């Protein structure tokens, strides 16, 4: 059986973006589970108490109402659930600004910034860079 990630979490206030990203990740067939959230508070609730499987990757939209990526990640880092301690975070945006890059450099858990929407190729690139031991389908 091919090794896969346990869980990838998508956090974007736009349900269509979550849907598209979910489809592309499914096509790559790199994870057992994809969980999606449209708001940071719901995602934090899930991450703090409900998840019982390792969460290896989070794709987080930078600009969201109520709680943007920066506020979300500040709260995420306070979570003491052992299943999320090694999570890699990729920030997503429709336009990545220089200030976003600078801010991201200050937060060690952020592993990169990507333009959205993601593509199948982008998912492959993320997987190859951060999870090279995972065999990917085409």
């Amino acid at each position: 059986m091919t090794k896969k990630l346990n869980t990838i979490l998508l956090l974007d206030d736009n349900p269509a973006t979550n849907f598209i990203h979910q489809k592309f990740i499914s096509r790559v067939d790199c994870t057992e589970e994809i969980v999606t959230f449209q708001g940071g508070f719901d995602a934090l609730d899930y991450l703090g108490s409900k998840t019982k499987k390792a969460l290896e990757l989070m794709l987080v939209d930078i600009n969201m109402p109520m709680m943007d990526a920066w506020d979300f990640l500040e709260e995420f880092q306070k979570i003491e659930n052992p299943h999320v301690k090694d999570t890699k975070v990729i920030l997503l945006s429709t336009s990545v600004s220089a200030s976003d890059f600078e801010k991201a450099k200050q937060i060690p858990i952020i592993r990169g910034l990507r333009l959205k929407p993601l593509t199948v190729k982008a998912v492959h690139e993320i997987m190859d860079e951060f999870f090279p031991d995972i065999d990917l389908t085409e």
Side-chain angles (χ1 to χ4, degrees):
M1 184 169 174
T2 304
K3 183 176 185 243
K4 296 181 182 185
L5 299 181
N6 286 301
T7 309
I8 294 176
L9 183 142
L10 302 175
L11 175 56
D12 196 304
D13 59 302
N14 184 331
T17 301
N18 276 338
F19 178 79
I20 291 165
H21 290 167
Q22 194 169 10
K23 288 293 180 195
F24 290 153
I25 292 167
S26 293
R27 263 183 64 194
V28 176
D29 194 28
C30 57
T31 187
E32 295 294 330
E33 179 180 32
I34 303 167
V35 292
T36 62
F37 295 94
Q38 289 177 247
F41 295 107
D42 289 338
L44 289 168
D45 181 50
Y46 170 81
L47 295 166
S49 62
K50 295 188 174 78
T51 186
K52 302 292 185 233
K53 294 195 305 186
L55 172 68
E56 292 94 347
L57 179 63
M58 265 197 309
L59 302 167
V60 181
D61 181 25
I62 292 175
N63 298 309
M64 295 180 288
M66 308 272 285
M67 178 182 270
D68 65 14
W70 313 114
D71 295 334
F72 170 78
L73 291 173
E74 187 176 318
E75 293 303 313
F76 172 73
Q77 291 180 92
K78 297 175 187 174
I79 292 174
E80 300 200 11
N81 183 337
H83 299 290
V84 302
K85 71 179 180 72
D86 295 322
T87 302
K88 291 170 180 56
V89 176
I90 306 290
L91 296 183
L92 304 174
S93 182
T94 53
S95 61
V96 180
S97 70
S99 65
D100 288 338
F101 275 107
E102 287 306 311
K103 211 170 187 179
K105 285 180 190 175
Q106 308 305 312
I107 304 172
I109 63 168
I110 297 174
R111 297 316 241 337
L113 282 83
R114 293 267 179 167
L115 287 173
K116 65 178 188 173
L118 290 176
T119 61
V120 168
K121 181 179 182 225
V123 174
H124 272 277
E125 289 169 354
I126 291 167
M127 293 301 298
D128 288 344
E129 182 175 353
F130 299 108
F131 307 99
D133 59 326
I134 305 288
D135 290 327
L136 303 177
T137 61
E138 290 301 317

